[in-house]
Every structure is written in C-alpha cells, then in structure tokens.
Amino acid sequence: MTRTAHPYDLLVIGSGAAGLSVALGVLARNPQARVAVLSKNDLSEGSTKYAQGGIAAVLDAADSTESHIADTLVAGAGICVEPAVRAVVEGAPEAIRWLIECGVLFDHEGGGLHLTREGGHSHRRIVHSADATGKAVEMALETRIRASGADLFEHHNAVDLIREKLPQGRLGRCVGAYGLDRRDGRVHRFAARNVVLATGGASRVYLYSSNPDGSTGDGIAMAWRAGCRVANMEFSQFHPTCLYHPKAKSFLVTEAVRGEGGLLLRPDGTRFMDDYDPRGELAPRDIVARAIDDVMKRLGCECVYLDISHKPADFVKSHFPTVHAEALKFGIDMTREPLPVVPAAHYTCGGVLTDLAGRTDVDNLYAVGEVAFTGLHGANRMASNSLLECLVLGAAAARDIAARIGTITNIPEIAPWDETWVTDSDEEVVVAHNWDELRRFMWDYVGIVRSTKRLERARHRVKLLRDEIDEYYGSFRVTSDLLELRNLSMVADLIIRSALARRESRGLHFTIDFPSLDSVAPPQNTILVPKNFSVRRVD
C-alpha cells in the first residue's frame, strides 16, 4: 500500500459506521475507485462499537414518519433544522435494509424485528441487536470493507488537512491529509481528490465520559484549522446512566434499560424522576441527566440507582446481556439489585457545518456522523438517532462523491512533512499534566450545569493551556498523545466560546445565570467562523 505515489479518489478519516458507510457506498457505485481508510486504532475501535441501544426507524404500522420527526423536533428544543430531520427519518427504513444485507443480525420477535422504546420516543421504533447494536453494525461493515479492496491504514492519527495553495496566498480545495503512523512515529502524506472526516465526537474533553479514548474531537479541530465553520458546540450530551464503580471505566448502561421499565432511585430506594418531568424515566436525556445531577448535589451522594430487578431474571439477561455481564464483573447482579449510575459525557451535538450531502465549507472536504453539524439534533440528540445519521447521511455523501469522482482534475504535489526544526521530547509529563488539567476544568466549569463565571474561568484556563500546547507542538516531534491534546484543547475553546454566546438555557446547555429560554429573540444555532474562512459552500 502506497501513501504518496498516486492520489486516492477518496480518503476517509475514521472507521466507524459513518466512515465505512461512505467508503462502501462509493465502492458500490465505483468499484475501480481508489479508496483509503485511516483508523486511529484497530479498524473497529471507535464509538460505533460501544453503541448499545439501537437505531431508530419507523417500521411498525402503528408508528409514523411524522411521529418520529415530531419526537426529534421536541427533543431538539426548538432549533433542529427540519429538512435535515425529515431527510434522516425518511431514510431510516432503507438504512436498516442495507444493514441487514450487510449481515447485521437484529433481534426478532413474533416473526418481525423486535422494536424497543427509549427516552423521547412516543413509539417502539428502536431496532437492536440485544444491547450491543453498535458492535454488530461495526463487525458487519468491517467484514465488508476488508473484502472490498480499499487500502486500510490502522493505527494512524490524522495530523492535519491539506489545502491547495493558490495565488496571493489563498487556499483552495482540500487535497489530502498528513497522517502519523503510530507504530514508527513517521508522518506520511495522503493525497486525495475527496476527503471525508468521520472521526466522531469530542466527549473525552470531559473527565468522565462513556466514549472510548479516541473521541478527542480530531475532525472538528482539523476542519476548524482548515477554514470550516462549526456550530452548536455548547450542546454536549451527558448520558444519564453510566455504571458507577471505582474499577469501571465509565461503562454505559443503555437507555433501553429505562425503556423496558427500569426505575431511577435515590439511595433510600425512592423514585425521583416524576418530580422533574411527567414522562419520568422516559424523559429526554438532558432532563434525566440534570435530574440525577440535582439529586446527587442535594443529597451529597456519589451516585443514584437504576433498578430493573422487578422484571424476570430471564428477561433482563436476554435483553441486556452485555450490561448484565459487565455488572457481574464488579459483583453487581442487576437481576437482583439496582445498578449504581452517574451521568457522563456521551455525545457532541455540534460539529463541522455541512449540508445534507456532507459537504463542508471547503471544496472536496466532507464531514459525516458525530463530527458534523447538520441540524438533525438541535439542542439535544434523541436516543438512537446517532447511528441512523451515520448511515443515512453516509449514503448521501457516498452518492455525491461517486458522482463527482470522474470530474475532479489531478491534484498538486503535496510537500513532505517538515521536521527540520523539531526534536524528540524529553518532557512527555507535560502532555499528561495538561491533558488531566483540561478535562478536570471542563468537567467542573463547562459540565451539566454552567454559569458565566465558571465559563469565564474556563476560557482563561484554556487560553493559557493552548499557548503552552502550541509552543510544545512547534518544538517537538508529534506523538498520538500530543495530537489528541492539541485537538482537545481547541475543541474545548470552541465549546466554551459557544456556551458564552448562548444567553439562555436550551436543551443540553443549562446556565444558572440565564435559566429560561430567550423569549425575545427567535431560536438560533450558534455558528463560529474561523479567521481563515473564505468560501461559503454550505447554506
């Protein structure tokens, strides 16, 4: 596999459901296309693998597309982009059919697909594979891409995007990316006629997260540096229920546990969700997360409890085998006792501004999945719409790219990565310390409940940190940890700036200084514009 001799028709950065959907979709339409996929770790080791709940799709006669759209709009707290919601919801049945063709084995009941219900949904419409849907999807897509002829570069960190240099110092289309081979420490050039960012979100910017370690906002940071606008970065979703145990690494307890009758309890065994919302345990995630946060702060307790032990043991084991097995590792039997749970950062609702084909502000650069902002999620993502977005808009991006492959002219020669003035670091401890400091102050000051004073404090901290990181980045050879820290610090800055710009509480953004919706100004998305923004591609 060569990385520099000839340009790829498509370079996909990220190997989850979004990235592999695009790659497979392009190859299905253009079998001779040269496609490369960069994966930070093993091909399967991304957020998709850890998605437990399922995929929302209208497949029941008692349900309707309009109902799914309405539920999504309600969860999005008034700022979803309705055409985006409609496009994704209407594309759901075809996405499920495609996954079945790819070999995903969904659960069945009574001769049809078993549908479960999750918070914010008015009907049972969640297609799932037990409680490990993401793993089933990732395994099926990985099998297909490995047999497709695409060049797969595992254990490669994308460093930065490359834009064509035009006269008068202007920048043109995206023509590839630099990538660090984590195994030998060398930075390589990947030339490409089309580049897709499918790098996931940035929830590792917080101290506690349900995401794998690689969710460090790489695509958002790279796109911002390349001149793309970002939107709604203040809306970080905290999953209400992650397993709380000293040895558990933020293991997510699927929302489907509440969908199947699980109850949230105070330490004394009493329920509390009805005190916060008439929908109780089935309220949207932002409401449930804030309720748990409030109970913990009021009572001074370290966690609350999620109890489904009133259901038959066989029911619990068959519906939630992954959660049951994981809890048993820590001596907790959820068929007999409640699970201790706490909220944790889970999903980035904002991201790189795109249209419904994944196109960004920079020509030939696309963004798909959690890295992107399409307007689907608004101020709060509804459960099980995330994998759906990856699949539907991944297919849309693939159609757009496949139609354009033959029309794109050759791209210019890319300069090698320059390491002339850098040396190996003898201060790696600085990276570890800065990483820890960043995630702690983001959790303390930019978490579930915010204030202007906390946000200003965070803005001051992140500026100092970014200055230190930039100096370090310019002096030493890049490493995976340094690249992730650089990206996380930039994304943290974008989150803080967006949060300070929203002078109201809406969806996932709750501030004690502006606890109500802004009733004067019409609802707006928060759009940040980089200094090097020059070409408006996305409306």
Side-chain angles (χ1 to χ4, degrees), residues 159-433:
V159 179
D160 259 323
L161 299 168
I162 305 167
R163 290 184 65 177
E164 184 178 17
K165 294 182 180 178
L166 302 175
Q168 287 82 49
R170 294 180 298 118
L171 294 175
R173 59 187 170 165
C174 183
V175 293
Y178 291 108
L180 169 70
D181 188 334
R182 299 174 65 171
R183 295 163 297 190
D184 62 15
R186 296 176 60 195
V187 177
H188 301 274
R189 295 167 284 175
F190 292 85
R193 295 184 174 90
N194 298 279
V195 177
V196 173
L197 294 171
T199 52
S203 288
R204 278 289 165 184
V205 76
Y206 289 101
L207 183 61
Y208 302 110
S209 171
S210 65
N211 287 193
D213 290 339
S215 298
T216 50
D218 303 330
I220 297 170
M222 287 190 292
W224 176 260
R225 289 194 291 266
C228 294
R229 291 169 295 166
V230 301
N232 283 14
M233 291 300 295
E234 68 269 36
F235 297 121
S236 297
Q237 186 179 72
F238 289 80
H239 196 286
T241 54
C242 287
L243 187 64
Y244 177 76
H245 189 278
K247 295 183 179 180
K249 191 177 181 180
S250 298
F251 178 79
L252 183 149
V253 179
T254 174
E255 189 158 356
V257 173
R258 286 183 285 125
E260 294 295 339
L263 304 174
L264 285 165
L265 309 175
R266 300 180 182 91
D268 65 2
T270 58
R271 288 183 64 209
F272 58 86
M273 274 310 304
D274 287 342
D275 297 339
Y276 293 88
D277 193 277
R279 290 165 290 189
E281 280 76 7
L282 291 178
R285 288 176 175 175
D286 60 321
I287 295 172
V288 179
R290 280 200 299 274
I292 294 173
D293 182 69
D294 186 59
V295 168
M296 290 170 60
K297 286 176 178 174
R298 285 177 182 273
L299 299 181
C301 54
E302 295 181 328
C303 65
V304 297
Y305 294 88
L306 178 58
D307 187 17
I308 197 168
S309 63
H310 50 277
K311 292 280 189 176
D314 289 344
F315 175 91
V316 174
K317 292 177 183 178
S318 63
H319 281 72
F320 311 110
T322 304
V323 179
H324 180 257
E326 186 71 16
L328 281 178
K329 293 178 184 178
F330 305 106
I332 305 166
D333 184 351
M334 64 186 291
T335 68
R336 297 171 176 265
E337 58 189 320
L339 296 166
V341 294
V342 293
H346 182 60
Y347 193 87
T348 306
C349 287
V352 183
L353 197 66
T354 75
D355 65 12
L356 294 181
R359 291 175 292 196
T360 71
D361 291 316
V362 175
D363 282 335
N364 299 0
L365 177 64
Y366 295 74
V368 180
E370 191 176 355
V371 68
F373 168 81
T374 63
L376 169 65
H377 305 305
N380 184 17
R381 176 182 71 89
M382 192 167 67
S384 291
N385 273 354
S386 52
L387 285 178
L388 177 61
E389 180 184 33
C390 293
L391 298 164
V392 174
L393 297 186
R399 289 192 295 271
D400 193 75
I401 293 167
R404 300 175 66 245
I405 280 179
T407 68
I408 299 175
T409 58
N410 285 331
I411 61 176
E413 179 67 21
I414 295 173
W417 181 254
D418 186 5
E419 291 188 331
T420 307
W421 304 104
V422 299
T423 62
D424 289 325
S425 172
D426 59 357
E427 297 179 330
E428 286 290 330
V429 68
V430 173
V431 175
H433 285 177

Side-chain angles (χ1 to χ4, degrees), residues 431-451:
V431 175
H433 285 177
N434 285 353
W435 183 289
D436 184 64
E437 180 184 351
L438 174 69
R439 296 174 68 207
R440 284 185 180 278
F441 76 65
M442 286 297 291
W443 182 263
D444 290 340
Y445 303 146
V446 199
I448 297 173
V449 177
R450 302 162 178 175
S451 71

Side-chain angles (χ1 to χ4, degrees), residues 18 52 116 139 285 291 317 356 363 465 477 504:
Q52 294 179 13
T116 190
M139 289 175 62
R285 288 176 175 175
K317 292 177 183 178
L356 294 181
D363 282 335
L465 206 56
R477 288 190 175 88
E504 64 170 351

